[in-house]
Structures are given as C-alpha cells and as structure tokens.
Amino acid sequence: MTPQSEEELAGMIADATTPLAVQGGGTRGFVAAGDVLCSAGLAGIRLYEPGALTLVAGAGTPVAEIEAALAAENQRLAFEPMDHRALLGTSGAPTIGGVMAANISGPRRIAVGAARDFALGVRFVDGAGRIVKNGGRVMKNVTGYDLVKLMCGSFGTLGVLSEISMKVLPAPETEATLVIGTGVAEQAVAALSRGLGSPFEVTGAAFLPDRGAVVRIEGFETSVAYRLEALEGVLGSFGAVERLDAQASQALWRDVRDVQPFVGRSGDVWRVSVKPSDAPCIVNGLPDGAEYMLDWGGGLIWVLCAAGTDLRARIAPFAGHATLVRADADVRARLGVFQPEAPALAALTDGVRARFDPRGVLTGRGMKAA
C-alpha cells in the first residue's frame, strides 16, 4: 500500500484489519511484521525558507532531494543522518520520514543534537486513522504536548508520519580532522573526552581501532586553522597526530557515519549506546573475534560479531541498550531487535501505544524484544 495523500493514508489505516508494517524507502531494515504500508508517495518539499532556516517536506521525500535543495543554499541537515544501505545491503532511497521515525543521528550528534532536536512540527495519522498535527513551521511555537519528540524514534508504532517541519543550519566553510595514533580503547576514549571538553568546538569524536582516535573541527577557514593547531597541542600527548584536509575529512566521517568498516563483512551488527566511560570495559569484554568502532566520544559502540551472539548478555552489567541492526530473521526473532524494557517502562510504553493505536495495527510487535 502506497498512499498518495494524507487523506488516503488515513483511510488505509482506518480500514486496516491486520497489522501494518510501516516503511519509507525500505532502506533501514526496521520493519515490523504485517502488510507493508509505504509512505514514499507522500513526497515533495512543501516549504523552504533559507532565511528562516526552516524546511517542510512530505514524509516520503528522499533525503537526497532535501540535501540537494539545502546545498544550493549552502545549508545542511546538521544531524548527519546515517545511510544504512551499504551496511544492510538494501536498495531504494532513504526518506526524511524514515530518518525522523527512527531518529537517525550521525557523528555530529555530540555537537548539535539528535534528529528529533531538529523537528519543529509533524503531521501524522494514528492507529485509529485520525489525522494529527503538532508543532509548527517556525522555531518559536508553543503547542502543548510535544508529540513531535514522541513521534521521532517511535518507528511508526504510534502513527505514520505524513509531513515533517524541521530546522536546518548553514554549512561550514571548511572542516579538518586530527587522527591520534593509538590502538588502545582506554587511551582513545581519554583523548576523545579531552577533545570534547576543550573550548575548540569538536563536531566529531570517534575511534577506529585500525587507525586511531579521530576528532573533527568545522567552521570558517581561519578559525579551523587556529583551533586545529591548538587542539593538536592538547591531544599530542596521546600519540602521533596526523592532519586530514577537508576532502579527506569528509570521506573519513562518511565512513564513520555509515559504519563502512563492517560493510560486506559476515556476522551480526549491533549498535550499543552506553556511557562513554564504560566503553573501554565493554569492548575489552567482547567475544573472541568480535570487532568494534566507537562514535560519540565512546557513547556509541558499533560491534561486528559472530551470527547469533547474544551481545546483550555480555554487556548486562553496564547501563545502556543494544539494538540488533543486522542479523538474519531467526536471530532477530530469537533475540529481538530492541533492548527489552524494564517492567515499569514497558507498562508505560504499552499505555502510550494503546492511546495512539487502540486497535493494535501499528504496534510493531515483530520489532519488540523477546
């Protein structure tokens, strides 16, 4: 089912008698069991005001189309959404609705916030077929309950997005990256923490074990040059430092964003969100043969491990959550995609879903952890 209008979408959901699996471009793999309901027909940039730093688009609008329109005005989606296609082996076009529904946020999240922080307003259809509007098209608005944040990251289980209003930001004049030559997680996280705690406005902080800790700076060329030199002095004690120019920096951070080191490799891929200070202990306790990379200063761990490994059992002593991003259907069914919720939180989640989806057609039961 691919509705071409919000009214048609509402009708399809209202008439549904079986569970629906909501998807945008079908590129991210987070799809519940049920009849596929695709929002790709709800496409198009409805409003773009560069001077006001706002853009409104249908949920099915390809991210590439939005990025092209923004680039023409020297602006960008600052939260740097990941493209899952290479990692998951999927095709199609990522949509802005899929980005917001899954709250897809890249390396720059540590500096500017997550995708949900850029959502100003949404239109969606809930599980009863009701059209709901919340938020606005400007940065200053007061609209009561913040359903905008609630919808971002709900994976279509509370409603199907039809339109998103979002904040955009100017693109920087240039960027550069420092590579600190260390292969030890403890030392890398310490270096990343030092960089993030400095006054030099780091916009990316990651660790690639085969390359080192990497930190990014963006802005005006003269400012970047000054801050790069100053940051090199701050981080030089952690290892030999290499500078990457703008072109090499952009290529490196695309690879970090899209988890390029794990592309085309066999095994399951996990995304683990933890306290940065816990990351070294967690990666040192990974199963034999597992590989990892760190983003968000150590707060995000990507793990490649043998198929069927229950990684949650290995990190149980630590606070955080682990999402199974890539695995075969049997492993996903056995382990569940998402971290199991504590009983009190699960009860709250079920109560919210019951209000937005009283008939259970958007519950996403096929995505819930076992």
Side-chain angles (χ1 to χ4, degrees):
M1 295 180 285
T2 307
Q4 302 300 307
S5 69
E6 190 176 66
E7 291 72 20
E8 190 176 353
L9 171 64
M12 289 179 177
I13 294 176
D15 294 341
T17 57
T18 57
L20 300 174
V22 183
Q23 71 175 34
T27 66
R28 304 192 187 275
F30 297 106
V31 180
D35 298 328
V36 174
L37 176 62
C38 178
S39 66
L42 306 173
I45 295 175
R46 314 283 170 76
L47 175 70
Y48 177 31
E49 296 182 348
L53 298 176
T54 56
L55 182 145
V56 181
T61 308
V63 173
E65 180 180 334
I66 291 174
E67 290 179 332
L70 294 175
E73 298 291 340
N74 198 33
Q75 296 181 346
R76 66 180 180 181
L77 295 174
F79 55 90
E80 205 171 4
M82 176 184 178
D83 185 340
H84 284 77
R85 286 177 291 185
L87 181 66
L88 300 183
T90 55
S91 58
T95 65
I96 194 62
V99 167
M100 289 299 178
N103 192 34
I104 303 297
S105 313
R108 205 176 288 112
R109 183 187 187 279
I110 57 171
V112 302
R116 61 163 54 95
D117 298 311
F118 287 80
L120 302 174
V122 292
R123 293 180 66 94
F124 66 95
V125 179
D126 69 9
R130 298 170 295 203
I131 297 174
V132 182
K133 174 185 176 182
N134 185 250
R137 294 186 168 191
V138 295
M139 292 189 208
K140 294 181 179 179
N141 62 81
V142 179
T143 56
Y145 294 111
D146 195 353
L147 301 183
V148 178
K149 300 295 190 293
L150 191 64
M151 290 298 296
C152 293
S154 66
F155 292 86
T157 61
L158 302 179
V160 182
L161 290 170
S162 56
E163 183 181 276
I164 301 103
S165 309
M166 71 197 86
K167 175 176 65 174
V168 299
L169 290 179
E173 185 175 274
T174 191
E175 70 174 70
T177 290
L178 292 180
V179 182
I180 299 93
T182 177
V184 181
E186 290 87 350
Q187 189 174 17
V189 171
L192 298 177
S193 297
R194 181 78 61 83
L196 289 167
S198 75
F200 304 121
E201 300 178 359
V202 168
T203 65
F207 175 50
L208 309 174
D210 63 345
R211 186 159 190 182
V214 293
V215 292
R216 176 178 59 189
I217 291 177
E218 300 173 294
F220 293 109
E221 187 170 354
T222 54
S223 173
V224 167
Y226 165 76
R227 288 182 287 138
L228 196 68
E229 183 174 354
L231 191 59
E232 186 171 348
V234 171
L235 300 179
S237 61
F238 291 96
V241 179
E242 174 192 0
R243 293 187 181 190
L244 301 183
D245 62 15
Q247 184 175 3
S249 177
Q250 290 169 1
L252 170 69
W253 289 99
R254 278 195 299 270
D255 288 349
V256 173
R257 182 195 71 181
D258 297 341
V259 198
Q260 188 65 35
F262 297 167
V263 170
R265 308 273 303 281
S266 60
D268 295 344
V269 175
W270 291 80
R271 179 184 184 275
V272 185
S273 180
V274 296
K275 292 188 302 183
S277 57
D278 286 340
C281 290
I282 291 174
V283 300
N284 289 335
L286 291 175
D288 292 341
E291 298 181 33
Y292 72 91
M293 56 179 283
L294 306 180
D295 199 357
W296 300 354
L300 179 63
I301 310 173
W302 288 98
V303 179
L304 175 69
C305 58
T309 302
D310 185 357
L311 195 64
R312 294 190 186 104
R314 301 297 292 257
I315 67 171
F318 300 93
H321 59 269
T323 303
L324 182 55
V325 174
R326 190 185 75 189
D328 64 30
D330 290 341
V331 174
R332 290 163 70 94
R334 177 168 61 87
L335 299 179
V337 173
F338 298 111
Q339 184 82 20
E341 295 175 330
L345 180 58
L348 179 62
T349 300
D350 289 343
V352 172
R353 286 179 173 168
R355 294 297 299 269
F356 284 87
D357 182 24
R359 298 179 300 139
V361 296
L362 303 175
T363 54
R365 298 186 190 282
M367 295 164 52
K368 292 179 67 176

